[in-house]
Amino acid sequence: MDPKVIISCAITGAIHIPSMTPYLPITPKQIAREAIGAAKSGAGSVHLHARDPKTGEPNMDLGLFQEFCQEVHQKSDVVICITTGGAPTMSPEERMVAVKKFKPELASINMGSINFGLFQLMDKIKEYKYDWERKYLERSKDNIFKNTFFDMERIFKIMRDNGTKPELECYDVGHLYNTAYWVDKGVIDPPIWLQLILGIMGAIQPSVENLVFMKNTADRLFGRDYIWSALAAGRHEFNLCTLAAIMGGSVRVGMEDNLYVGKGRLAETNAEMVEKMARILKELDLEPASPHETRHMLKLKGKENTNF
Ligand code: KMH
Ligand code: ZN
């Protein structure tokens, strides 16, 4: 039987700002509703960040996470993946708290430090809705999203102590080598679950060649012992996810990575983006993995063992 394709949906993230779209989920209610909708449309996993409900600023408040995670946990079977990336402006300490508290089945871990550039987004914004937005984007020019080996070691330990599977966010080829270091150290239980990220400024850019290069590098480093997914920022999202699916990978879509569902057409819901991806898969005779199949493929501990 052909393996299924995991569609992960990243609901809101910390890249985009409310001034870029009226549809960005911000409040816990909106985030929960969007995550549940994405699951109904075919997502096996939802990747969750929190935002200040009044201003939309990225936030790691445990009360906010609790509110939307609990609702998703109660109303849907979808696998919840909690961020430890938070926002590039947050310290690693701040970013680790939600995994300790909620013991999710899945959480992201960022596999290297980068100058995560968001300042270029300012060129397109005519008017800012909130005070923090402009400063947030501007600051990214001179800010390191810090994920040192010391930080990664601490995050891996927290994940292991809480039975959480790491989703390994690799923004560049070097991050695959960092992953190989941790695999050799024995801190990652099989299967290795890689998220290949293309198109973040400060890291590898989106192209067919670069996705093939990353995949070939992963093959050289991990042989057949890994499962992978791709995400591409902005307008490259659907094209490179389609290529990833053809190459045997899984895919991530959603408003964290891209705000448009078609040329010049803002996505109104995350579900729309999942639906589009599921339609493309269908045309390729591929099938989205259900939450149950996602758990089986990634060998997750089960939602009954979380603390939402
Ligand atoms: N923002 C994405 C490019 C995280 O939350 O840990 C990667 C991400 C990081 O989702
Ligand atoms: Zn994220």
Side-chain angles (χ1 to χ4, degrees):
M1 209 172 82
D2 283 333
K4 302 268 173 94
V5 176
I6 300 170
I7 304 181
S8 301
C9 186
I11 302 296
T12 188
I15 291 179
H16 298 120
I17 57 170
S19 294
M20 297 174 80
T21 173
Y23 306 113
L24 192 67
I26 286 174
T27 67
K29 278 266 158 285
Q30 290 168 340
I31 292 171
R33 189 189 61 214
E34 284 287 310
I36 293 163
K40 283 188 183 145
S41 299
S45 164
V46 288
H47 170 77
L48 301 177
H49 291 239
R51 290 179 182 264
D52 181 319
K54 291 208 173 70
T55 65
E57 188 168 4
N59 193 306
M60 283 300 297
D61 181 82
L62 289 177
L64 296 171
F65 274 94
Q66 175 132 31
E67 210 178 318
F68 56 70
C69 286
Q70 226 167 46
E71 190 170 342
V72 178
H73 179 75
Q74 282 163 6
K75 296 187 179 162
S76 169
D77 228 17
V78 71
V79 174
I80 295 177
C81 172
I82 287 192
T83 181
T84 70
T89 47
M90 294 172 186
S91 70
E93 286 69 28
E94 243 180 307
R95 300 193 254 118
M96 295 173 201
V97 292
V99 171
K100 271 194 213 161
K101 169 96 174 91
F102 301 114
K103 310 178 189 305
E105 291 180 86
L106 202 56
S108 62
I109 172 165
N110 292 266
M111 297 313 293
S113 302
I114 57 170
N115 181 186
F116 201 124
L118 303 175
F119 58 92
Q120 74 286 2
L121 298 173
M122 293 169 68
D123 297 346
K124 293 191 202 129
I125 298 164
K126 294 194 182 76
E127 218 182 309
Y128 290 92
K129 244 177 170 161
Y130 300 102
D131 278 352
W132 66 272
E133 295 177 305
R134 191 190 170 90
K135 281 180 254 160
Y136 182 73
L137 300 182
E138 233 164 19
R139 183 178 164 194
S140 72
K141 203 172 207 170
D142 191 28
N143 180 67
I144 299 294
F145 179 37
K146 181 177 168 299
N147 298 287
T148 60
F149 289 98
F150 177 68
D151 300 324
M152 289 186 250
E153 186 166 53
R154 285 182 299 162
I155 296 177
F156 276 127
K157 177 159 187 339
I158 291 169
M159 291 198 186
R160 176 157 273 197
D161 291 348
N162 290 288
T164 298
K165 173 117 201 134
E167 179 171 310
L168 305 148
E169 314 286 328
C170 296
Y171 299 78
D172 220 317
V173 181
H175 296 177
L176 293 166
Y177 287 86
N178 295 352
T179 302
Y181 169 80
W182 292 114
V183 170
D184 286 347
K185 285 274 165 212
V187 304
I188 307 171
D189 293 329
I192 300 161
W193 171 226
L194 297 178
Q195 192 64 258
L196 307 182
I197 302 173
L198 295 97
I200 297 300
M201 191 163 181
I204 205 164
Q205 291 306 292
S207 70
V208 171
E209 291 79 2
N210 283 346
L211 181 58
V212 172
F213 180 38
M214 285 190 87
K215 164 71 167 60
N216 286 346
T217 306
D219 284 345
R220 271 186 281 117
L221 291 170
F222 310 117
R224 297 175 63 88
D225 294 336
Y226 75 101
I227 304 178
W228 67 285
S229 167
L231 77 87
R235 67 190 165 85
H236 302 278
E237 177 170 87
F238 289 103
N239 295 358
L240 286 182
C241 282
T242 302
L243 176 62
I246 292 169
M247 288 164 66
S250 283
V251 296
R252 174 170 126 171
V253 296
M255 288 193 210
E256 171 161 347
D257 307 323
N258 167 37
L259 296 174
Y260 291 84
V261 70
K263 197 170 177 197
R265 241 175 349 115
L266 281 171
E268 296 190 16
T269 63
N270 278 278
E272 266 183 88
M273 299 171 116
V274 174
E275 273 160 28
K276 174 166 172 169
M277 196 66 240
R279 270 198 316 274
I280 294 171
L281 294 181
K282 193 160 180 235
E283 288 297 329
L284 298 170
D285 288 329
L286 294 168
E287 258 184 78
S290 67
H292 176 74
E293 289 161 339
T294 300
R295 289 189 170 90
H296 181 74
M297 285 166 74
L298 301 181
K299 293 197 171 42
L300 303 180
K301 64 180 176 178
K303 68 182 274 187
E304 64 284 5
N305 298 312
T306 57
N307 193 30
F308 293 121

